[in-house]
Amino acid sequence: MSNQGPKQIAFLIALLITGVSAIVLVVQVYEFRKDFAYLQKLKKDEVNYDVVWGQLLLEQSTLTQPSRLEQAAIKTLNMHAPSQDELVIVKP
């Protein structure tokens, strides 16, 4: 009977170590999946930001076209191209 006690204790310790290892594995898999989901969200955000960046570049190029600036100057500021009489040439 004395031999059975140490075998049972060794078995219980092995069982406990296996249980703890299983719990640690489950926690690690959970953390990995959570981090992977976050990474996927960041990649999706990156794609969305790239799309918005492209739209902003297109809008910027549209708003800075010389013809658009000229129209805004005429309409908003009542500017006009100077006539020959209004031109003053300054020489150094």
Side-chain angles (χ1 to χ4, degrees), residues 47-66:
V47 169
N48 289 338
Y49 290 138
D50 283 342
V51 169
V52 170
W53 178 250
Q55 291 171 342
L56 289 173
L57 288 176
L58 181 62
E59 184 177 349
Q60 180 187 26
S61 69
T62 301
L63 292 174
T64 57
Q65 288 180 346

Side-chain angles (χ1 to χ4, degrees), residues 60-75:
Q60 180 187 26
S61 69
T62 301
L63 292 174
T64 57
Q65 288 180 346
S67 62
R68 182 164 175 97
L69 292 174
E70 184 180 354
Q71 290 172 1
I74 292 170
K75 187 182 278 185

Side-chain angles (χ1 to χ4, degrees), residues 22-84:
I23 291 171
V24 168
L25 179 65
V26 167
V27 169
Q28 285 180 338
V29 168
Y30 171 76
E31 289 295 323
F32 172 77
R33 288 185 179 175
K34 188 171 73 169
D35 291 343
F36 186 74
Y38 182 65
L39 176 65
Q40 293 301 98
K41 180 193 172 299
L42 290 177
K43 286 183 178 183
K44 184 178 178 182
D45 289 347
E46 179 186 18
V47 169
N48 289 338
Y49 290 138
D50 283 342
V51 169
V52 170
W53 178 250
Q55 291 171 342
L56 289 173
L57 288 176
L58 181 62
E59 184 177 349
Q60 180 187 26
S61 69
T62 301
L63 292 174
T64 57
Q65 288 180 346
S67 62
R68 182 164 175 97
L69 292 174
E70 184 180 354
Q71 290 172 1
I74 292 170
K75 187 182 278 185
T76 306
L77 302 174
N78 295 325
M79 295 178 81
H80 66 279
S83 65
Q84 289 291 338

